[in-house]
Amino acid sequence: LSMKDKILQHFLQSKGEPISGQQLADELGISRTAIWKHLQTLQEEGYKFITIKKKGYQLVAAPDRVDAAKISSFLKTKRFGYSIHYFEEIDSTQSYAQKLARQGAEDGTVIIAEEQTGGKGRMQRIWHSAKGKGIWMTVIIRPNILPHQAPQLTLVAAVSVVMAMKSLYQNFTPEIKWPNDILINGKKCAGILTEMLAEMDRVDGLLIGIGINTNHELDDFPEDIQSIATSIAIEEKKKVDRAELVAEILKNLEHFTDEYVENGFTSIKTLWEEHSGTIGKRIKASTIRETIEGQAIGITDEGVLEILLDDGQVKKVYSADIEIQN
Ligand code: BTX
């Protein structure tokens, strides 16, 4: 963190209590004048401080942003989230992450933006990423795994996101829709896009792209997705702190990735099934080749979906779009 961000972090963690300029200067090893100058810069960025006699400075207003200082004030991880690349606007955090990963970015590096002008879904689809409304981020992870295991990390990420939502919010139950969507009351609230940098027998890195509709009102979505999309604010019935959710997701992602690398897929699979809205339901799966209808009965140890057809056959589906029918 830069000195300015460190100062900001102190104020964010003080939860509105005033901080003495002298104490801050001593702690950070800089002069009071330097502190004052950084506070001026922060004011220009939209933060508001007031001076309270004999007590010091008090942070009274902060802009609603998901920048490094804000996220790190909530961070409870060992490795993830200590390198954060923040953008007001970007084409896609995935594309930027590719570049960084190729240059050797460390495990747990985060790329996050207020707005994406070219947000990507799977199969060249568009991911709508409205300014300041959601979490549009990519986490570069470097677990020691083989290329064929990569799809399982999408499931690890889905578990991490769903459990973060469950621990922070009370008014709704998010469900995972195989393989990569998170639905609330049947509507899409988040999507995960996993991309891989690999050679034949070795994974160099995975780009876990996470898009979460956070503070959207219905009008903030383009018309063509208003009937299929929702946001946390709509379901929770209040605006939420995006940085707090980011930090909670990073904590889970670090924990469950480590768990996966150490102990394999079994425990993740159980959690995934527990939070899934797909298993047990009648579904229609459209693959590139065919459309299959039947009952989703589970996922295999490879994260592959198993469907029980009406004639009693069990089919495995590796990649598809699914529609839940009941
Ligand atoms: P997906 O292919 O499963 O979903 C894309 C489809 O979802 C679109 O065709 C559209 O119908 C619908 N859709 C588009 N935008 C939204 C939205 N905001 N909310 C609900 N539905 C929508 C899912 O792909 C994976 C998305 C990953 C997005 C992240 S954001 C950070 C990172 N950077 C980037 O470019 N992509 C990832």
Side-chain angles (χ1 to χ4, degrees):
L1 284 185
S2 67
M3 186 54 76
K4 183 189 72 180
D5 281 349
K6 279 190 194 153
I7 293 171
L8 180 55
Q9 198 179 8
H10 274 82
F11 281 101
L12 290 169
Q13 282 169 345
S14 77
K15 305 268 178 250
E17 289 297 311
I19 301 181
S20 121
Q22 189 60 54
Q23 191 190 325
L24 202 53
D26 290 346
E27 236 171 89
L28 295 169
I30 59 174
S31 69
R32 289 192 63 168
T33 321
I35 297 276
W36 186 83
K37 281 188 183 148
H38 285 298
L39 293 185
Q40 293 305 306
T41 316
L42 285 166
Q43 303 244 40
E44 283 158 23
E45 292 175 10
Y47 292 89
K48 281 207 181 65
F49 298 91
I50 55 170
T51 311
I52 297 182
K53 256 201 188 147
K54 301 217 174 84
K55 292 209 162 146
Y57 302 109
Q58 183 179 20
L59 175 65
V60 291
D64 178 15
R65 300 200 318 207
V66 276
D67 53 23
K70 195 83 193 288
I71 295 169
S72 39
S73 71
F74 289 106
L75 212 54
K76 292 181 219 116
T77 52
K78 295 183 291 251
R79 314 186 301 282
F80 284 20
Y82 288 95
S83 169
I84 296 177
H85 300 253
Y86 169 81
F87 298 88
E88 289 277 338
E89 188 194 297
I90 199 168
D91 56 345
S92 158
T93 57
Q94 289 295 106
S95 321
Y96 195 86
Q98 288 243 357
K99 266 187 276 173
L100 281 185
R102 290 221 165 84
Q103 292 162 7
E106 67 192 55
D107 188 30
T109 297
V110 173
I111 300 90
I112 188 161
E114 297 293 343
E115 178 179 15
Q116 292 186 120
T117 52
K120 298 193 286 184
R122 292 180 303 152
M123 297 175 273
Q124 262 78 71
R125 289 191 288 232
I126 290 171
W127 184 258
H128 181 70
S129 317
K131 180 173 186 158
K133 301 288 174 182
I135 292 171
W136 323 124
M137 77 167 168
T138 301
V139 187
I140 300 174
I141 64 172
R142 300 192 180 275
N144 186 7
I145 59 166
L146 296 168
H148 77 268
Q149 294 175 285
Q152 297 179 337
L153 268 301
T154 298
L155 307 184
V156 170
V159 166
S160 303
V161 172
V162 145
M163 291 185 64
M165 286 184 182
K166 283 197 168 166
S167 72
L168 293 178
Y169 315 121
Q170 284 78 49
N171 297 338
F172 61 85
T173 307
E175 288 185 329
I176 311 173
K177 181 180 149 203
W178 185 88
N180 70 325
D181 286 342
I182 290 165
L183 305 186
I184 306 176
N185 293 320
K187 292 181 165 188
K188 192 146 149 175
C189 179
I192 294 162
L193 172 68
T194 306
E195 295 178 303
M196 171 166 62
L197 296 178
E199 290 162 35
M200 287 297 283
D201 55 354
R202 193 169 69 98
V203 173
D204 284 334
L206 290 169
L207 313 176
I208 310 283
I210 300 174
I212 306 175
N213 303 326
T214 315
N215 285 329
H216 298 64
E217 309 280 337
L218 208 52
D219 288 354
D220 295 319
F221 293 109
E223 239 166 64
D224 61 315
I225 61 169
Q226 284 186 6
S227 62
I228 58 161
T230 191
S231 74
I232 293 176
I234 293 172
E235 304 295 333
E236 183 71 358
K237 299 185 176 64
K238 67 164 199 262
K239 289 230 158 88
V240 302
D241 193 324
R242 291 177 296 156
E244 183 179 26
L245 179 55
V246 168
E248 191 70 18
I249 291 170
L250 291 174
K251 185 183 85 185
N252 289 351
L253 193 61
E254 178 182 86
H255 171 78
F256 290 120
T257 308
D258 288 352
E259 163 86 23
Y260 170 82
V261 171
E262 260 167 54
N263 302 320
F265 189 54
T266 320
S267 63
I268 306 294
K269 180 179 153 174
T270 311
L271 282 173
W272 191 92
E273 286 177 338
E274 260 171 47
H275 297 286
S276 150
T278 308
I279 307 306
K281 302 271 172 66
R282 194 169 172 83
I283 62 164
K284 195 196 245 180
S286 312
T287 70
I288 307 171
R289 269 174 282 124
E290 55 185 344
T291 300
I292 307 164
E293 278 191 56
Q295 196 193 12
I297 52 174
I299 53 170
T300 67
D301 284 346
E302 287 73 48
V304 173
L305 184 65
E306 291 183 308
I307 304 176
L308 176 64
L309 307 187
D310 296 338
D311 65 7
Q313 257 192 83
V314 175
K315 268 225 160 184
K316 287 186 178 170
V317 174
Y318 291 83
S319 172
D321 273 317
I322 66 169
E323 210 178 287
I324 296 170
Q325 305 195 302
N326 58 21

